[in-house]
């Protein structure tokens, strides 16, 4: 399948607003790939695909995951917002025939991050924070950091997200904590 064909499928599975976000993440991912020496075509594809099941009904996402042998932990079951990264990764592999494990992992870990991420995984994680339509308070800081160091941008984004989740007494995906620790241990800013 060509990029155009994948793009068309993505478009058919979500509303206009989310599709525009997906396109913006894809464009931002190309820029970051060129900056950090990753494959721009892979980044473009992972970007357009990353939220492919975000607007898929929960019941259908559960079916996709079950069909692909994904057994949810109690924590995962209680956070349906996190499902789209799991079901999205399973969907692009089993239904769209994506075989590139790096692209599959970029979708799989785009919400939580994880320890030991590849450059492509980091690019999609960061591009999701800095895509053109994003307009939260510190988006300028985040964009600036993303041009300096992917890890610095991730550290900044994760610090905010994790402390915000704790403040709101919400559940935290252990992968996000692993990701935060991994970057804190291995990089200095
Ligand atoms: Fe997402
Ligand atoms: Fe997204």
């Amino acid at each position: 399948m060509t990029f155009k064909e994948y793009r068309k499928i993505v478009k058919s599975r979500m509303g206009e607003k989310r599709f525009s976000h997906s396109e913006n993440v894809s464009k931002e991912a190309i820029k970051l790939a060129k900056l950090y020496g990753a494959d721009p075509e892979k980044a473009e594809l992972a970007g357009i695909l990353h939220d492919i099941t975000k607007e898929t009904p929960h019941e259908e996402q559960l079916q996709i995951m079950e069909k692909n042998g994904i057994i949810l932990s109690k924590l995962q079951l209680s956070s349906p917002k996190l499902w789209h990264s799991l079901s999205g990764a399973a969907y692009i592999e089993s239904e769209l025939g994506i075989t590139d494990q790096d692209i599959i992992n970029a979708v799989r870990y785009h919400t939580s991050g994880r320890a030991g991420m590849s450059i492509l995984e980091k690019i999609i994680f960061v591009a999701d924070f800095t895509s053109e339509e994003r307009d939260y308070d510190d988006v300028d800081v985040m964009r600036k950091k993303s041009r300096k160091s992917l890890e610095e941008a991730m550290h900044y984004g994760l610090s905010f997200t994790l402390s915000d989740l704790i403040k709101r007494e919400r559940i935290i995906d252990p992968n996000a904590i692993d990701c935060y620790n991994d970057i804190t241990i291995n990089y200095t800013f």
Side-chain angles (χ1 to χ4, degrees):
M1 242 190 268
T2 63
F3 176 78
K4 261 190 164 177
E5 288 166 320
Y6 285 120
R7 183 180 174 276
K8 212 173 153 190
I9 295 171
V10 171
K11 195 172 183 185
S12 73
R13 296 187 62 89
M14 57 184 66
E16 233 171 79
K17 210 172 164 193
R18 182 145 348 255
F19 181 65
S20 156
H21 162 70
S22 302
E23 285 215 293
N24 289 341
V25 170
S26 179
K27 283 178 199 155
E28 179 74 7
I30 296 175
K31 287 184 199 159
L32 293 173
K34 287 180 180 162
L35 193 58
Y36 293 108
D39 181 338
E41 282 184 24
K42 278 195 199 188
E44 181 182 37
L45 183 54
I48 200 80
L49 293 173
H50 83 286
D51 274 340
I52 190 161
T53 56
K54 186 135 184 189
E55 291 188 4
T56 304
H58 288 158
E59 196 50 46
E60 195 182 329
Q61 289 193 57
L62 284 171
Q63 280 170 12
I64 294 169
M65 291 188 279
E66 197 187 290
K67 202 176 136 194
N68 289 283
I70 297 167
I71 297 162
L72 296 178
S73 65
K74 202 176 161 193
L75 181 140
Q76 287 168 328
L77 258 177
S78 68
S79 344
K81 268 198 174 172
L82 303 178
W83 293 357
H84 77 282
S85 47
L86 293 157
S87 63
Y91 183 85
I92 63 166
E93 185 175 11
S94 67
E95 305 299 318
L96 304 187
I98 299 278
T99 53
D100 189 311
Q101 197 58 49
D102 204 15
I103 294 177
I104 296 166
N105 286 338
V107 174
R108 167 69 186 82
Y109 297 105
H110 83 269
T111 40
S112 61
R114 64 163 170 167
M117 289 170 93
S118 72
I119 298 182
L120 183 68
E121 288 173 55
K122 289 175 180 173
I123 284 173
I124 300 303
F125 185 92
V126 171
D128 203 15
F129 271 94
T130 57
S131 54
E132 202 187 320
E133 84 291 350
R134 296 279 194 208
D135 66 350
Y136 51 89
D137 278 352
D138 277 359
V139 70
D140 295 346
V141 180
M142 190 66 186
R143 289 202 176 108
K144 217 169 165 188
K145 286 184 186 289
S146 77
R147 297 299 188 264
K148 204 175 134 209
S149 149
L150 283 175
E151 291 78 18
E152 186 170 333
M154 288 179 68
H155 195 260
Y156 189 77
L158 280 163
S159 303
F160 174 81
T161 311
L162 291 175
S163 45
D164 182 59
L165 285 169
I166 290 188
K167 254 185 245 157
R168 294 190 290 129
E169 299 184 8
R170 301 283 289 274
I171 285 166
I172 295 175
D173 185 328
N175 278 319
I177 298 172
D178 287 345
C179 184
Y180 176 83
N181 286 339
D182 177 42
I183 289 172
T184 307
I185 290 167
N186 292 304
Y187 297 89
T188 42
F189 312 114

